Amino acid sequence: MDSSIIEPFWGPQTSYLNFCEEDYVVTRYVAEFINTLSSGVYCLFGLYGLVQLRRRGQASLSRCIPYLGLVGVGVCSGGYHMTLKYHTQMSDELSMHLLTTPLLYRILTFQTSAQYTRLVGGILGVIFTVVMVVHMVMDEFLLHAVSFGLAVLLITTRTMKAIPQQIPNMGIRLKVRGVSRFGLFCFIFGYTVWLVDTWFCGHLLDVRRTVGTPLAFLFELHGWWHVFTGIGGYVAVAIVDMITAGEVHGDPTGEMAFPINVVSRAWDAWARSEQGEGKKGK
């Protein structure tokens, strides 16, 4: 269907970013159909985490907030890609910091004094406010991107450092570390396909038009960015929640959402086979 003959339900684009997916091709009610649909991945992971907390009787507000942040990212991202409006773009970018800031706060302040916790909370609150005010008032994208990237880097490094300190059981420690690395790989891979979608948009459009629907949907790489960063974001939330809540006595990875639980079992099977080979070689 030619998108040029469709009258967009949401009117003309006012956001200053528009991705490689052609607008209003599937329906006049959704600007970027696959990007909107794939945003639901964040919501699914967030809801799964909330259900798991409720099932275990651990659904305190502090533990629910990061999972609610994942849901918020999905809702705001979906709203942005559906409408391509400036205010929905701002909400999408704001939600990214509303996810990383509580995670950063938890991993930086667990097992610390009340004074240090208040200090870190105040500093993060000021940084969050400055970044978002500058971003929204000045339409300044670089500060938003750099601060988000630094937050992800800090969460990753502090979490990987905390794993051997907080998990005494070597087998569980290896599985948690393996799952964490898988989440990091997914995030990096998602960022890579985001770059490809940005830099090689013309070639991707040619491929999509050649293969036609529905195979063309497989080449909507910004949608895959949502899928893989959704996985990476969920792993980060789940591991940080587990470590800061002190739940490191049993193996928590088997109850994590797909595909993380599958990766955990595969990692365990690989480790057992390596041990078996090692014993045979002695």
Side-chain angles (χ1 to χ4, degrees):
M1 186 181 295
D2 185 0
S3 60
S4 63
I5 64 174
I6 294 179
E7 181 182 355
F9 176 80
W10 303 102
Q13 173 191 341
T14 57
S15 63
Y16 59 78
L17 289 178
N18 192 352
F19 299 96
C20 192
E21 183 175 0
E22 295 182 273
D23 301 340
Y24 296 103
V25 171
V26 176
T27 170
R28 65 185 291 262
Y29 298 101
V30 179
E32 297 175 345
F33 186 81
I34 296 299
N35 289 347
T36 302
L37 185 65
S38 59
S39 297
V41 169
Y42 301 106
C43 297
L44 291 176
F45 280 125
L47 291 172
Y48 181 88
L50 291 171
V51 169
Q52 289 293 92
L53 286 179
R54 184 176 180 83
R55 184 181 63 81
R56 298 193 299 261
Q58 300 167 339
S60 63
L61 179 61
S62 62
R63 297 190 65 174
C64 287
I65 283 176
Y67 289 108
L68 290 171
L70 268 179
V71 175
V73 169
V75 171
C76 294
S77 174
Y80 167 39
H81 290 293
M82 181 171 64
T83 63
L84 292 181
K85 292 296 184 179
Y86 178 79
H87 62 277
T88 55
Q89 179 187 338
M90 290 297 105
S91 70
D92 177 37
E93 292 164 356
L94 171 65
S95 70
M96 295 163 66
H97 294 278
L98 287 174
L99 172 62
T100 56
T101 302
L103 277 182
L104 196 53
Y105 173 77
R106 286 190 66 177
I107 198 64
L108 290 177
T109 61
F110 87 106
Q111 297 182 339
T112 60
S113 66
Q115 182 179 7
Y116 181 81
T117 298
R118 288 193 295 270
L119 176 63
V120 171
I123 291 173
L124 289 177
V126 169
I127 293 174
F128 173 83
T129 303
V130 169
V131 168
M132 293 319 301
V133 168
V134 170
H135 179 52
M136 290 187 289
V137 172
M138 301 178 62
D139 289 342
E140 206 284 325
F141 183 78
L142 183 61
L143 179 63
H144 153 71
V146 170
S147 58
F148 176 74
L150 287 176
V152 171
L153 179 63
L154 264 176
I155 292 167
T156 302
T157 54
R158 290 301 294 260
T159 301
M160 296 302 288
K161 182 179 179 181
I163 288 173
Q165 297 173 348
Q166 300 301 316
I167 305 179
N169 183 287
M170 179 61 73
I172 296 175
R173 184 193 306 171
L174 289 174
K175 290 181 74 172
V176 171
R177 183 177 286 170
V179 165
S180 300
R181 287 172 176 169
F182 173 71
L184 179 60
F185 166 79
C186 286
F187 197 91
I188 294 173
F189 183 78
Y191 181 64
T192 301
V193 298
W194 184 86
L195 291 176
V196 173
D197 186 72
T198 302
W199 292 343
F200 300 100
C201 181
H203 298 291
L204 289 169
L205 287 172
D206 291 339
V207 171
R208 292 172 201 158
R209 290 163 183 164
T210 300
V211 301
T213 306
L215 289 178
F217 293 153
L218 297 176
F219 297 92
E220 298 288 357
L221 297 191
H222 192 84
W224 288 110
W225 147 265
H226 291 160
V227 172
F228 285 102
T229 56
I231 295 172
Y234 167 73
V235 169
V237 170
I239 298 298
V240 169
D241 178 64
M242 176 196 69
I243 290 174
T244 56
E247 296 176 355
V248 293
H249 303 294
D251 179 13
T253 59
E255 294 185 354
M256 294 176 71
F258 177 85
I260 297 91
N261 54 356
V262 175
V263 170
S264 173
R265 289 194 290 270
W267 183 274
D268 189 48
W270 175 82
R272 290 177 186 275
S273 68
E274 287 292 303
Q275 291 175 357
E277 290 296 325
K279 290 179 180 179
K280 290 179 182 179
K282 289 183 178 181

